[in-house]
Amino acid sequence: MIKNWWHYNNWYVICGAVLLGIICNLAGSYLGLWEKQPDFQIAYIGKVMLPEDTVSALETAFSSLGNELDFNQYGEVLVKVNQYISSGSTTDPELAQYAYAAEITLTADINDCESYFFLMEDAEQFQRDFHVLARFDGSCPEDADASTEDKTVLWTDCAALSGLKLGSCSVVTAGETITKNSQELLAGCSFGRRCFYTERRTDYAEKCDELWDSLIDKN
């Protein structure tokens, strides 16, 4: 009986299995289930998006700092840079919409404890808005403390950061494509790490603490 049923329905079963596999694969790809998760993430907050060459160079440079940064034991160090662009005060409705969307996704990043490090064009404004930058010792500041003096370092003042080999990148200015040094683009940025007011923490937070100390101690 089973053999007879299979004779008439085998193609239905095979096609159903293939379709189910395709659906599972698409769903997994959409949810990021098949992607290797990064060992740590860096949030860039600025008014102008960093060129793809610079972002790629940043991820590669941090990944090359040492095999001990393979926190999740995937066999390779994976670093992800998330960009959140704010246009500041603008009357352009399209730019305002993009800025609002960036703020929403940055808030979600912070709430979900995704990015541990922050690379900021305006660290003081970021701290006033989100109040998540940790002191150098890792502790959280008081509610009234919106300063950044004991929480961030200038990119150019940190030898470990300004010494990263980032190469050049292409930038479009006034319709013209020019080549710039990626380190020059980051020269005015500040670098900091987040603190945690609740028990929820970034994955491998203790390992990220050690990386922070290593970067800062090299000054």
Side-chain angles (χ1 to χ4, degrees):
M1 182 177 179
I2 296 178
K3 183 177 181 180
N4 187 57
W5 180 88
W6 176 254
H7 175 76
Y8 287 102
N9 297 278
N10 58 352
W11 283 111
Y12 294 104
V13 174
I14 294 172
C15 291
V18 171
L19 180 60
L20 180 61
I22 292 174
I23 293 174
C24 290
N25 185 59
L26 292 175
S29 297
Y30 178 77
L31 297 173
L33 299 179
W34 316 137
E35 297 180 3
K36 290 183 178 180
Q37 296 302 306
D39 295 285
F40 59 89
Q41 301 185 53
I42 303 169
Y44 168 76
I45 302 97
K47 294 182 179 179
V48 179
M49 183 171 291
L50 293 176
E52 292 183 7
D53 292 342
T54 301
V55 172
S56 178
L58 272 172
E59 294 175 341
T60 300
F62 273 95
S63 298
S64 302
L65 290 177
N67 291 330
E68 64 274 11
L69 302 183
D70 183 14
F71 302 151
N72 52 31
Q73 299 298 305
Y74 283 156
E76 60 181 322
V77 181
L78 297 175
V79 179
K80 181 180 180 183
V81 175
N82 304 306
Q83 296 205 67
Y84 303 103
I85 307 306
S86 172
S87 60
S89 299
T90 178
T91 57
D92 188 319
E94 185 174 357
L95 290 178
Q97 185 176 5
Y98 281 130
Y100 177 72
E103 182 177 350
I104 294 299
T105 51
L106 175 57
T107 301
D109 181 320
I110 293 172
N111 291 339
D112 293 338
C113 297
E114 293 180 353
S115 296
Y116 176 89
F117 297 104
F118 294 99
L119 180 58
M120 304 153 286
E121 276 193 339
D122 190 341
E124 292 183 356
Q125 184 63 53
F126 174 77
Q127 181 68 350
R128 286 195 296 268
D129 292 342
F130 296 98
H131 207 265
V132 294
L133 293 176
R135 295 191 181 96
F136 283 139
D137 63 3
S139 62
C140 293
E142 293 78 11
D143 291 341
D145 181 7
S147 68
T148 60
E149 292 181 0
D150 59 342
K151 306 173 187 67
T152 64
V153 293
L154 285 175
W155 184 272
T156 51
D157 288 345
C158 182
L161 298 175
S162 60
L164 294 175
K165 296 181 179 180
L166 303 180
S168 59
C169 61
S170 298
V171 180
V172 178
T173 303
E176 181 181 358
T177 301
I178 59 177
T179 300
K180 286 191 173 183
N181 185 292
S182 290
Q183 279 286 357
E184 293 178 359
L185 292 180
L186 303 175
C189 292
S190 299
F191 191 72
R193 61 169 168 170
R194 67 164 302 159
C195 64
F196 303 94
Y197 289 94
T198 66
E199 293 184 356
R200 187 170 187 179
R201 296 168 65 83
T202 300
D203 291 339
Y204 318 110
E206 292 183 359
K207 295 291 186 180
C208 289
D209 290 341
E210 294 176 6
L211 175 57
W212 166 267
D213 292 337
S214 174
L215 293 171
I216 301 305
D217 287 346
K218 291 181 180 180
N219 290 335

